[in-house]
Amino acid sequence: MAWVAVSALGGFLAYTLVSNIAGTHALMRVFGTTEWWFVGCGVFGAMAGLYCARHWIGVTGRYALVKAFCGIVIVSFMGALIGGSLMLPLYGTMFGPMLFAMMLVENPVLALVWIVVLIAAHILISRHRREREQMFAPVPITL
């Protein structure tokens, strides 16, 4: 569920970012091949960003919140970098992360939703890791 939520929101944010750059703020319009490509790049970029932060997101222990914050920064930067590189190879690589950060600064509601989804992903992944580790833990024998 964490991967689905992050990737779906990544696609939505990529489409919103490209719509804001193009000057078309209407979300209810006919999707063409270009719009589907931008959404797909955003989905793939968010998934790749979450994969790049796999050692930071979902970690339990003493510094779990600090690592989760670093993971949120990594997911945001790498997702914007990879998604932007796929959308527009040179322009998107250079300006993708900067435009993504500016979009989150201009729209605090989108920033809040992005952060909440990534925190929820951190919680879901940490629960999954904890359950996976307990599955192979030795069971004490009691008589």
Side-chain angles (χ1 to χ4, degrees), residues 93-128:
T93 305
M94 290 187 296
F95 297 111
M98 182 187 67
L99 290 174
F100 183 74
M102 292 305 296
M103 180 186 68
L104 293 181
V105 168
E106 289 175 357
N107 299 321
V109 174
L110 288 178
L112 181 66
V113 170
W114 178 246
I115 290 170
V116 166
V117 166
L118 286 174
I119 290 172
H122 169 73
I123 293 169
L124 287 171
I125 292 172
S126 67
R127 285 184 182 172
H128 171 72

